[in-house]
Amino acid sequence: MPAMTAVEAGARAGAGVPAEAVGPLVRGVGVLRRLAEAGGTLSPSALERATGLARSTVDRITATLARMGYVRLDGRDVVLTPGVLELGNAYLAALRLPALLGARADALADELDESVSLAVADRDGIRFIHQATRRRALSVSFRIGDLLPAERTAPGALFATEWTERDWARWRTRRAEDPRDTAFPAVPPRPEPAPARDTARTTGTTGTTDTAAAVEAAFADRVGAARRDGWAVDDQLIEPGLVAVSAPVRDPRTGRVACVASVVSHTSRHPAAELPAALLPRLRTAVAAMEADLRTAPPPEPGPAPAGLATWTTASKQELGRDFVESLARGLTVLTAFGEGRPALSLTDVARATGLPRATARRALLTHEYLGLVAAAPHEDRAFALTPRVLDLGFPPLSRTTLPRLAEPHLRALADRVAEPAALAVLTADGTEIQYTAGAGTGGVLTVRIPVGARLPAAATSLGRVLLADTGAPAAPELAEARARGYALVDEELESGLRSVAVPVRDRTGRAVAAVNVATHAARRSLEDCVEHLLPALRATADDIQRDLHRASRFTKVPTT
């Protein structure tokens, strides 16, 4: 488990926290961070050990986060849910860079057949805001939201060309306190520091033991080269075999580095010495196009601000009593006040958007500032802006999710509710078959058991019919009926005694990308019963899956299989 930040250590000890800070909010943010660092799942006892909080406090915090839809209590575990992505989405939407530049990064990755990333500065580290990763056996596993130490990356050298002496001092302090980089869970820790008598210079690779002076000298050399050349190379700084070349994307208003674009590969495809010739020219062309996009982008239209949050938290407190920590819930809702067209907000703006009293909003903002989640907005008087550290709150482990993983807990809940098996399927590329990608069974003696990966004729299944009905092709009568009704009901066509009803699952554009169904035996449920009782529960489940899909796919690609 990575080391706690000084902020969290102070919160654990009850010392060093500003008088106006909201203690439950500090502790709740710590729980979300520990869950994210653990991959999204921890038991309450593990959370107790990781945070140093009392078990009763952990239980109250997780109950509150579950009520907010940020975690679910799955047996003995606390599991992050796609609802927590709303926090990171608020930052990414306010930033605008992923929306404006992501398509360019994706196109470059397709052209070069290499992974491409966009990163922003996060104090003395770099944090990814977009990833276009190649799906191959040996691929890069960094995720949106992952934080890396600046000195072990090519983007870090480019950002450091703009560092002040105060920034360098902060970097040296962090290096002294954490020489092995244990506070960066996305990278392998450095080896134990060499004894003082060891004066070997480092090349930056993780296989060498480096003195603090050697690390600083090597990083300063790379920063100097980046300032001179206008680009930087990562020659296995993170781990052996991983290389990258990076170029800055500059803000047209200020000329400063807005983000850094990187092409990432491994030495079996491109040795580091070949990166400038093999990949840099095309990267620079893409960066020039990105900078042109930033110059010509129209001002953002503010999206709808959240509504009724204060009323919701009050009602939840009245219903759940002491198990609901209202100050934690209200503090986290403040982060969702920001978003597209709302990158900088004053205290009055935040209070108006959330419905919270000014005093409550002020304490929440001061606490978030203390935690590093908000900062004074540049070029804005008395306004706040979200920082990249908001992505710490659960984004990385969920940014590589798939539709089957999103659907599985909802399918289990549906199967338990109706006591019938439920499944998720997609249409194959040729449109003739469906492929099962997730499912939840029941304990009945006579039940439908179709394994994940199985394929069936699309036209003979309820799942296939609702998907075929959405293709827009000339429809057979049964497909036209499914399109008009919004569901398909198949009665003993695939197999005697088998009845099933299915509805589509739609992406953010409204396209049906998958379907969910419930299957039963004809002796157990009539056709009328399927429509009257199974269909409403099925539609509610499809809505839940769609909501999670829309959250997860706002700034990431969610594979359907």
Side-chain angles (χ1 to χ4, degrees):
M1 184 70 67
M4 287 188 301
T5 66
V7 168
E8 292 167 346
R12 172 187 285 192
V17 182
E20 290 189 280
V22 183
L25 180 55
V26 174
R27 293 187 282 274
V29 166
V31 166
L32 286 175
R33 281 176 166 157
R34 296 288 88 82
L35 279 168
E37 290 162 357
T41 302
L42 280 177
S43 68
S45 57
L47 273 173
E48 183 182 0
R49 292 190 298 271
T51 60
L53 300 173
R55 177 59 181 270
S56 60
T57 301
V58 169
D59 289 344
R60 293 182 65 214
I61 288 173
T62 55
T64 302
L65 295 175
R67 179 71 169 193
M68 300 184 74
Y70 293 168
V71 306
R72 71 173 187 273
L73 307 180
D74 190 354
R76 296 183 178 181
D77 290 330
V78 181
V79 182
L80 289 173
T81 69
V84 79
L85 292 172
E86 291 178 343
L87 303 176
N89 284 343
Y91 164 73
L92 294 173
L95 183 67
R96 294 191 77 200
L97 293 178
L100 293 175
L101 309 182
R104 297 281 188 188
D106 295 344
L108 181 62
D110 290 340
E111 178 182 345
L112 299 177
D113 194 28
E114 299 288 359
S115 295
V116 173
S117 66
L118 300 177
V120 294
D122 188 348
R123 297 189 181 181
D124 58 348
I126 67 114
R127 198 178 292 270
F128 295 113
I129 58 169
H130 184 82
Q131 288 281 0
T133 304
R134 300 294 87 187
R135 299 187 71 178
R136 54 169 67 105
L138 188 61
S139 62
V140 180
S141 61
F142 290 131
R143 307 158 301 182
I144 295 176
D146 276 338
L147 177 68
L148 278 62
E151 68 277 12
R152 293 176 68 178
T153 69
L158 290 163
F159 286 121
T161 62
E162 298 180 341
W163 280 5
T164 64
E165 184 51 44
R166 181 179 179 183
D167 295 324
W168 281 100
R170 180 170 55 199
W171 175 78
R172 294 186 189 101
T173 299
R174 188 262 295 166
R175 287 280 305 132
E177 294 175 347
D178 184 22
R180 299 194 63 214
D181 296 334
T182 59
F184 298 87
V187 300
R190 290 179 181 269
E192 292 289 346
R197 64 179 180 275
D198 186 354
T199 58
R201 274 295 292 269
T202 177
T203 62
T205 60
T206 59
T208 59
T209 53
D210 312 318
T211 64
V215 171
E216 180 168 351
F219 185 42
D221 287 346
R222 292 197 299 276
V223 173
R227 184 179 291 112
R228 179 190 68 240
D229 300 333
W231 50 271
V233 167
D234 170 354
D235 184 3
Q236 306 176 78
L237 297 172
I238 295 294
E239 65 180 23
L242 184 66
V243 294
V245 60
S246 301
V249 180
R250 297 191 178 275
D251 187 327
R253 298 170 300 170
T254 66
R256 294 179 61 83
V257 180
C259 68
V260 170
S262 302
V263 182
V264 186
S265 188
H266 50 83
T267 52
S268 59
R269 291 174 61 84
H270 293 286
E274 295 180 4
L275 294 178
L279 302 178
L280 182 60
R282 186 62 192 90
L283 173 61
R284 280 180 152 169
T285 300
V287 163
M290 291 178 183
E291 291 177 340
D293 289 341
L294 293 182
R295 285 193 298 271
T296 59
E301 292 291 334
L309 296 176
T311 303
W312 178 85
T313 58
T314 299
S316 297
K317 181 65 174 179
Q318 292 174 347
E319 181 179 343
L320 299 181
R322 70 179 307 275
D323 288 336
F324 185 79
V325 186
E326 189 172 17
S327 56
L328 167 59
R330 289 188 164 193
L332 290 176
T333 62
V334 162
L335 299 178
T336 65
F338 297 84
E340 186 173 3
R342 303 190 306 279
L345 296 177
S346 67
L347 170 59
T348 299
D349 294 332
V350 171
R352 184 183 302 116
T354 59
L356 296 172
R358 280 176 56 90
T360 301
R362 177 176 177 276
R363 291 192 64 199
L365 286 168
L366 291 175
T367 305
H368 288 314
E369 187 174 36
Y370 168 67
L371 293 169
L373 301 175
V374 305
H379 318 301
E380 297 281 350
D381 187 34
R382 295 184 179 180
F384 295 88
L386 299 180
T387 75
R389 297 213 161 186
V390 173
L391 294 173
D392 269 344
L393 308 184
F395 208 95
L398 292 170
S399 67
R400 286 283 181 88
T401 194
T402 64
L403 182 55
R405 287 178 59 188
L406 292 176
E408 281 168 359
H410 300 296
L411 294 177
R412 290 199 303 269
L414 175 61
D416 290 343
R417 177 180 174 185
V418 300
E420 303 284 5
L424 177 83
V426 297
L427 204 60
T428 57
D430 63 6
T432 62
E433 294 180 311
I434 58 163
Q435 180 180 355
Y436 284 78
T437 58
T442 60
V445 175
L446 182 62
T447 187
V448 178
R449 290 188 177 90
I450 301 176
V452 170
R455 295 189 176 196
L456 293 175
T461 63
S462 61
L463 291 160
R465 287 184 184 177
V466 292
L467 291 171
L468 290 171
D470 194 66
T471 61
E478 62 271 15
L479 300 185
E481 182 180 26
R483 182 182 301 167
R485 291 180 173 180
Y487 70 91
L489 179 61
V490 171
D491 182 25
E492 302 187 77
E493 294 185 34
L494 183 67
E495 183 177 322
S496 296
L498 179 62
R499 285 177 177 158
S500 67
V501 58
V503 298
V505 174
R506 301 186 182 277
D507 64 12
R508 294 178 63 87
T509 68
R511 182 174 64 94
V513 294
V516 289
N517 84 334
V518 172
T520 187
H521 191 275
R524 195 154 55 233
R525 293 184 185 269
S526 66
L527 293 175
E528 292 77 11
D529 190 31
C530 289
V531 174
E532 185 174 346
H533 295 105
L534 294 184
L535 183 58
L538 186 61
R539 280 178 163 158
T541 298
D543 289 343
D544 291 340
I545 296 172
Q546 285 178 171
R547 183 172 59 252
D548 284 351
L549 175 61
H550 295 175
R551 288 165 170 163
S553 62
R554 186 172 180 185
F555 294 104
T556 64
K557 292 183 178 179
V558 178
T560 58
T561 58

